[in-house]
Structure formats: structure tokens, C-alpha cells
Amino acid sequence: MQLILILAGAGLFLFFVYSAVVSWREREPVAAKHFFITAILILIPFFLTAFIPFTGKVFVFSLLMAGWTAGILIFLLPNGKNHAYRQVKPEGKIDERDTMFSRNELMPDTENFEDYYKHHPEKKALDDRFRGNKGLLQKGTTQYNPFYFASADASFETIAALRNFVNGTVATEKIPVKPEEISRYIKNWSKKLGAVDCGITELQDYHIYSTGGRGERYGRKFEKRHRFALAFTVEMNHEMIQTAPAGTVVMESGQQYLESGRIALQVARFIRNLGYEARAHIDGNYEVVCPLVARDAGLGEIGRIGLLMTPKQGPRVRIAVVTTNLPLITDRPLHDFSFIDACVQCKKCAEVCPSNAISFNDREIINGSLHWQINQESCFTFWTIAGTDCGRCISVCPYSHPDNGLHNLVRFGMHNSGAFRKIALKMDDIYYGRKPIPKPPPKKLQTT
Ligand code: SF4
Ligand code: SF4
């Protein structure tokens, strides 16, 4: 009995000490302190029972062992899984002109401006709110930092310079390919190029914007020209995202839009070199709705923030897409109820959102599709005050923790067991805080 108590207590103690060390290294001192206190508290009853003689020792031993076993079973036994999954596919297409980036580019006294608000008069007052603010990456915003904003601008300008390469000449000689082999090759190569994941889906009408809304593509009707779409995710650095809504967040966004875009451009060019049509969809030049393509390509689910929630990085990713006629093997969508269920319970992003843009309600049918929709006007208006793309919702999400042993163990439990999911979400609030304070920028990037 004594040996069992020592082993069980020591096992738990070591696990929580390990969690404390991981948290300390992740610059989470509060979580590290909480994990360390838990390690001590959990050790006490096991060791007291093991070493101090008292009446009723067998009863306390049974209680401790029952608790220990229950914990393991809650973690390991699958329950509350995909039987409850429900997805309603979108009926219509999204018009890119309705997105905030497109509306932000509308200049007063131009034809597009007059035309847009003639057809959407209800949006005029909402948009005048953000037009009265300083704007993204501008001096005078609350998060203004000349170094961070200039760095972010450098990334976005580099992407802009690459936009002309999304299309290109297709080689006249068509190299014969086997769908399995070429699908596997592209996935492995894109990961070598820096993607954390790559998935393939058959392109659907609802993946494609009905009409372009940016730059020279404004007002252009988009049609389905390719059969397949490849989606790539790249990771946004955890340390940078933890600073949200500081300037370092928009720096990281710009960098990862560029990284994902670069991978898409290389893969598209590669496919054209083989003699097949391919178009890259990169920041500022999308014809497709990336999160919907990525979800159908099996890379994640759409969560409460309206972003793709991925198994290893949560919403802490950026996405780019390549559409093509290259014959490919498609992936199965995850159809993972655990993400949806976690978002139904958690609501942490909605609580911290500085613009109250995130709904506290359950998913709703909006434009024929079952999902959460943020209030994009409120969100964007906050961006134009802060000067950054905020990212507070991404930074506090329990799925955004780094991709390492500790957090992947928790992610496995959350995916596997509804009961564990409930406990893990509560623990996340206790250990990391329900409204965690933004972290300072990484030491090497701090400015005076
Ligand atoms: S913070 Fe919570 S509710 Fe928001 S996306 Fe993440 S899991 Fe879902
Ligand atoms: S980016 Fe910021 S303002 Fe926008 S939804 Fe997320 S937390 Fe809210």
C-alpha cells in the first residue's frame, strides 16, 4: 500500500512540476506558480497517508486511488465525440466587397464608394466610424510603435509586390502524374517549405467569393475554374501573439501572411511547371475564402472567432490556398465536434474582446450556414484605433498554447473526452487566467 501511494503521489507531483517548468519556459510565471503549488498540494495527502499511521488509513487509501483512477479514466475513455457533430454547408457565396479590408479601401467621392453605399446604405454609418480613426499601422494609434509598424508594413508591402505572381504561364509539356504520389509530394514539400499542415479538398462554389473586392479585382465576378484546392497553414509565433493587441502582433501577422503566401506561390509555380493550371491565393489577392477551404481540406474546424481552429496550434495560424486542375487525392474533413463543444462552453475570447465583437451565443444559421459570426465592423473599428490587427481572441484561446508535449497531451484529452474537455477548460482559466494580461514583447525586440 505504501509503495503504491508513493508511486501515485510522485507521478502526479512530477507531472505538475514538469508543467510548471514548461510554463516558466513559455513566459507564463503565474501558470508556473499555480502548477508548482498544485504539485506540492497533491503530494501531501499521498505522502501523509503513506508515512503516518492513523485509523481509517485503508479508507483514505481507497479514496485517493479512486480519485487517481477516475482521473485517468476521464482522460482516456472516449466520450462526447463526433455523434453530435452538425455542419450546414453554406448556400450562397460571400461577396468580397462586404469584407472590412475591401470597405477600408473605398475612397470617398469615387464610383466604387458611391455604388457600394447606394446598395448598402445600412453600412455607411458603421464604416464612417472606422474612417474617422487613425487607421492600421498609423501614427497616433494606441499601439503605435515606429519599429513594429514599419516592420509589419515591410512584410505587407513585400506580399503586395508578389501579388502579380499568383498566376503565370503553364508549361506546354504536361508531365504525367499519379494523384497519390503528387498529393503526397506536395504535402511533404510544403511542410519542408515551412507549412505546419497541408490539406486537399474539391473546390466548392461556396469556397469562391462571388465578386472581387480589392484592388484591380474590384467588381470582377469569380467563377470556379479549378477542380481542387490545396490549403496550407503556417504557425504564428506564440511569444509574439501573447503580446496582443501590441504592435508585435501585426508584425507577426504580416510575417506569416508572407510565409504562407510564399509557400502558395512556390507550389502554384511548381504545378504550372508540370503543365497544369494553378493559382495561388495570398493576402490581398484571394478569390477563395481560405478558412472554409482549409476546413473542408481537413485542417480544422471554424470556431467562435470565425477563424480556423487547428489541432496543434488552435487559431494561431495563417492560411494560404492554391487552386488547380492537377489531379489530386482529397482529404476528409475532420468533422471534429470537440472544437465546437469547447467553443460552446469556453467563451474566453468573447470575454476579452475589447470591441465586444464576439458572440456569447451558440452557433446560428446565418446566410444558410451554421456558424459563429463576429461583428466585423466592431472588430475592425478597434483595429483602426489600436493600429494593429489586435489578436487578443487568438492569444487567450486555450487551443493556442504552444505545440509541445504538455499541451498536446491536454489537446488529446480535450479531443477524446467530453468530461476531460470540461475540466481542462476550467483548469485553463485557473492556471492561465480567465482574462490573461498581455505579455511584453520578446526581449530581443523590445524598444525604448
Ligand atoms: S477562446 Fe474558447 S470560445 Fe474562443 S475560440 Fe478559443 S476555445 Fe473557442
Ligand atoms: S481581433 Fe480583437 S477586436 Fe477583433 S474579434 Fe478578436 S479580440 Fe475582438
Side-chain angles (χ1 to χ4, degrees):
M1 187 162 84
Q2 190 183 46
L3 183 66
I4 294 174
L5 283 165
I6 292 170
L7 288 177
L12 286 171
F13 175 78
L14 289 175
F15 173 75
F16 282 103
V17 168
Y18 161 71
S19 305
V21 172
V22 171
S23 301
W24 184 259
R25 294 177 65 171
E26 288 170 359
R27 298 204 311 158
E28 296 281 4
V30 176
K33 190 176 91 184
H34 288 169
F35 278 123
F36 191 69
I37 292 170
T38 312
I40 303 287
L41 290 179
I42 219 149
L43 191 66
I44 291 171
F46 283 90
F47 272 48
L48 285 183
T49 314
F51 292 110
I52 295 176
F54 62 95
T55 47
K57 192 166 177 149
V58 175
F59 177 68
V60 176
F61 170 80
S62 310
L63 274 185
L64 288 173
M65 285 303 109
W68 201 92
T69 314
I72 299 286
L73 291 179
I74 285 171
F75 178 74
L76 286 180
L77 285 185
N79 67 82
K81 291 186 82 178
N82 288 351
H83 60 275
Y85 187 85
R86 184 170 165 243
Q87 189 194 91
V88 178
K89 290 202 170 158
E91 278 166 3
K93 289 179 166 189
I94 296 172
D95 187 334
E96 197 190 18
R97 292 173 299 183
D98 291 332
T99 65
M100 296 314 295
F101 283 113
S102 171
R103 283 149 67 182
N104 187 42
E105 285 176 10
L106 290 173
M107 288 295 145
D109 302 324
T110 60
E111 199 183 318
N112 288 346
F113 185 98
E114 301 300 335
D115 182 67
Y116 186 78
Y117 293 111
K118 192 172 120 196
H119 291 98
H120 303 279
E122 75 288 357
K123 297 200 168 108
K124 178 75 170 52
L126 295 170
D127 291 2
D128 284 344
R129 275 173 50 208
F130 75 72
R131 282 205 180 87
N133 297 332
K134 298 284 180 195
L136 281 171
L137 301 182
Q138 297 302 313
K139 198 171 181 177
T141 49
T142 59
Q143 301 297 329
Y144 175 69
N145 176 302
F147 286 5
Y148 300 155
F149 280 20
S151 307
D153 182 67
S155 297
F156 286 116
E157 282 303 313
T158 310
I159 304 165
L162 294 172
R163 278 180 201 148
N164 289 340
F165 301 102
V166 296
N167 274 312
T169 318
V170 179
T172 44
E173 185 196 354
K174 194 172 257 183
I175 308 285
V177 294
K178 293 185 188 135
E180 293 85 3
E181 187 185 39
I182 195 69
S183 301
R184 191 175 58 246
Y185 181 88
I186 292 180
K187 285 180 183 182
N188 288 333
W189 187 49
S190 66
K191 287 177 191 169
K192 188 163 183 318
L193 291 173
V196 288
D197 212 351
C198 170
I200 301 170
T201 186
E202 199 146 344
L203 201 56
Q204 307 294 324
D205 281 337
Y206 65 79
H207 290 152
I208 303 166
Y209 284 120
S210 63
T211 312
R214 314 253 334 243
E216 82 291 346
R217 297 174 303 112
Y218 195 93
R220 195 183 300 163
K221 299 285 174 212
F222 295 144
E223 296 299 334
K224 193 168 99 172
R225 288 183 289 124
H226 297 134
R227 181 169 172 203
F228 295 105
L230 292 133
F232 312 95
T233 47
V234 296
E235 180 175 5
M236 289 200 282
N237 180 275
H238 180 255
E239 217 181 338
M240 297 286 269
I241 293 303
Q242 291 301 97
T243 65
T248 30
V249 162
V250 70
M251 246 177 101
E252 183 63 12
S253 288
Q255 181 62 35
Q256 299 314 329
Y257 275 124
L258 179 57
E259 288 301 314
S260 56
R262 173 187 58 80
I263 294 166
L265 288 170
Q266 282 178 270
V267 170
R269 176 73 206 197
F270 161 77
I271 295 172
R272 292 195 297 269
N273 287 346
L274 296 181
Y276 301 84
E277 283 179 26
R279 186 208 197 269
H281 301 262
I282 68 173
D283 180 55
N285 198 342
Y286 301 110
E287 286 186 11
V288 296
V289 185
C290 288
L292 292 180
V293 176
R295 179 197 61 188
D296 292 351
L299 300 187
E301 286 293 340
I302 310 287
R304 184 176 290 277
I305 322 171
L307 300 176
L308 185 77
M309 306 276 287
T310 63
K312 294 278 183 73
Q313 290 81 23
R316 197 168 45 81
V317 293
R318 290 289 178 224
I319 312 165
V321 165
V322 169
T323 51
T324 180
N325 278 338
L326 179 75
L328 294 166
I329 301 294
T330 57
D331 293 293
R332 289 159 64 94
L334 296 185
H335 286 173
D336 190 338
F337 174 67
S338 68
F339 285 116
I340 308 296
D341 185 47
C343 280
V344 167
Q345 297 178 51
C346 166
K347 303 179 184 174
K348 199 167 179 171
C349 50
E351 269 187 35
V352 301
C353 174
S355 68
N356 297 320
I358 302 173
S359 164
F360 282 89
N361 300 332
D362 284 351
R363 290 186 299 170
E364 294 168 80
I365 300 269
I366 303 166
N367 297 333
S369 154
L370 181 64
H371 63 281
W372 281 285
Q373 183 158 298
I374 69 160
N375 182 328
Q376 57 168 347
E377 287 86 3
S378 297
C379 172
F380 193 80
T381 301
F382 179 77
W383 291 12
T384 57
I385 296 168
T388 74
D389 56 355
C390 177
R392 271 290 276 162
C393 44
I394 301 174
S395 75
V396 302
C397 179
Y399 284 99
S400 284
H401 292 300
D403 175 7
N404 60 32
L406 170 66
H407 298 301
N408 287 341
L409 199 67
V410 176
R411 287 185 184 105
F412 166 80
M414 287 178 72
H415 169 74
N416 188 50
S417 155
F420 182 83
R421 195 152 57 236
K422 225 180 245 312
I423 295 167
L425 289 171
K426 284 277 169 272
M427 300 280 275
D428 198 90
D429 288 349
I430 294 167
Y431 285 90
Y432 296 92
R434 183 70 183 158
K435 293 185 176 180
I437 296 164
K439 303 276 185 308
K443 275 205 175 69
K444 286 182 182 169
L445 292 175
Q446 284 179 8
T447 60
T448 49

